Amino acid sequence: MKQRIDRRIELGLTQTDAARRASVSLATWRRWEEDPDSVSQKTRDACEGVLAARSEHERALEKLTNSFTTAWQDSPRLTPRQAYAIALELDTWDDLFLKPWLDDPREPLHTRPPFDDFDLRVMMLIGESRAWVAAVQERCRVISDEIKRGILPFDRPGPLIDEVLIGAALSGAQASLEDLPESFEHVPAREAVDDEENDEYLIGDDDWDAVSDGFDDICRWDEWEVPIRLGHPLLPAVLAQRHPYTWFDAEEATGPGYLQRLSGLIVDG
């Protein structure tokens, strides 16, 4: 009985709703829910059919799973589960931290994810700017939606903040995938594939170091990780050239070698 009740509740149905869908009376539904053998086979089939239907949540989850699987199943940069974990991290920031803070900004901003991973020298320049946080919230939504479609910030021209946010999401995404595996069971797993004969390597769900290294190879903004590398020696020079308020601007990316030029290791010809 409990299993039938739990499933009805999972589908978001009252007993009245369920009875209407099964085309039986409320009394008949209640009798079936308590003891299926107390009703006819025809009635049992009708009632069981109601609980066998998929909920709106289940249909949405299947659609989401299919989108990540299609977009990332053959990608050398991310596995479907890694991509899902990163998008989930961005969505979590939006729903649980950014929106509540914008509604009630009493808690210090630097203590709220994702900003608790930012170097405090960055946060000192941002202060408690609600406009800046609202802009971050919007970029989280854009990036998450793009990841669902197989697109990373590195794949198209975009502002510096997009690559900073994707970098900040990696540690939380990895932790979620490792600590909450049940949340990702609906997304196909992938083991690493090392094809030495063709000199090809396809990362697996556990290869997060390879993800970060791969992003470093394809980044458009050479300084993409500097704001979240606590104590990075080049951060003051990066901030002197680009205040965080300008990280949303559409401008030409710094490209490879930017950090080396800042450090004086190479000089433009």
Side-chain angles (χ1 to χ4, degrees), residues 54-71 84 148-149 186-187:
R54 293 185 304 161
S55 66
E56 290 292 333
H57 171 72
E58 289 168 331
R59 286 192 290 270
L61 189 60
E62 181 183 38
K63 183 178 179 181
L64 189 64
T65 298
N66 290 340
S67 68
F68 278 101
T69 303
T70 301
Y84 183 79
K148 294 179 180 71
R149 295 183 282 116
H186 56 286
V187 181

Side-chain angles (χ1 to χ4, degrees), residues 124-193:
M124 287 175 64
L125 294 177
I126 296 166
E128 305 292 305
S129 171
R130 296 184 67 186
W132 196 87
V133 174
V136 168
Q137 182 185 40
E138 174 60 25
R139 296 318 300 172
C140 285
R141 293 171 179 173
V142 169
I143 299 167
S144 176
D145 182 64
E146 288 182 337
I147 291 174
K148 294 179 180 71
R149 295 183 282 116
I151 301 170
L152 291 171
F154 317 107
D155 296 333
R156 41 74 175 167
L160 171 58
I161 189 64
D162 288 4
E163 295 193 13
V164 172
L165 290 173
I166 203 79
L170 292 182
S171 61
Q174 179 179 359
S176 295
L177 190 53
E178 292 175 350
D179 299 340
L180 301 169
E182 65 277 5
S183 299
F184 301 89
E185 290 176 348
H186 56 286
V187 181
R190 191 169 85 190
E191 298 289 335
V193 178

Side-chain angles (χ1 to χ4, degrees), residues 4-195:
R4 291 184 290 278
I5 294 175
D6 288 346
R7 177 56 180 165
R8 173 173 56 75
I9 293 173
E10 182 181 326
L11 290 169
L13 300 175
T14 64
Q15 287 184 319
T16 300
D17 294 332
R20 185 179 301 114
R21 293 192 181 189
S23 298
V24 300
S25 69
L26 177 58
T28 298
W29 177 273
R30 287 174 173 168
R31 191 163 67 251
W32 172 82
E33 200 169 76
E34 292 177 2
D35 179 11
D37 292 332
S38 65
V39 299
S40 69
Q41 182 64 51
K42 180 181 178 180
T43 298
R44 284 202 300 274
D45 291 343
C47 294
E48 288 170 359
V50 171
L51 299 193
R54 293 185 304 161
S55 66
E56 290 292 333
H57 171 72
E58 289 168 331
R59 286 192 290 270
L61 189 60
E62 181 183 38
K63 183 178 179 181
L64 189 64
T65 298
N66 290 340
S67 68
F68 278 101
T69 303
T70 301
W72 297 102
Q73 60 185 348
D74 298 318
S75 172
R77 300 180 299 177
L78 287 175
T79 71
R81 285 191 176 187
Q82 288 172 334
Y84 183 79
I86 293 172
L88 185 62
E89 184 75 1
L90 293 163
D91 292 342
T92 299
W93 291 345
D94 179 7
D95 294 336
L96 298 186
F97 302 108
L98 301 180
K99 184 181 185 303
W101 188 88
L102 287 168
D103 292 339
D104 184 10
R106 285 182 292 181
E107 187 175 345
L109 183 59
H110 71 272
T111 65
R112 306 283 288 186
F115 309 120
D116 56 345
D117 282 334
F118 281 47
D119 192 296
L120 282 176
R121 291 171 292 179
V122 175
M123 300 311 298
M124 287 175 64
L125 294 177
I126 296 166
E128 305 292 305
S129 171
R130 296 184 67 186
W132 196 87
V133 174
V136 168
Q137 182 185 40
E138 174 60 25
R139 296 318 300 172
C140 285
R141 293 171 179 173
V142 169
I143 299 167
S144 176
D145 182 64
E146 288 182 337
I147 291 174
K148 294 179 180 71
R149 295 183 282 116
I151 301 170
L152 291 171
F154 317 107
D155 296 333
R156 41 74 175 167
L160 171 58
I161 189 64
D162 288 4
E163 295 193 13
V164 172
L165 290 173
I166 203 79
L170 292 182
S171 61
Q174 179 179 359
S176 295
L177 190 53
E178 292 175 350
D179 299 340
L180 301 169
E182 65 277 5
S183 299
F184 301 89
E185 290 176 348
H186 56 286
V187 181
R190 191 169 85 190
E191 298 289 335
V193 178
D194 191 359
D195 186 351

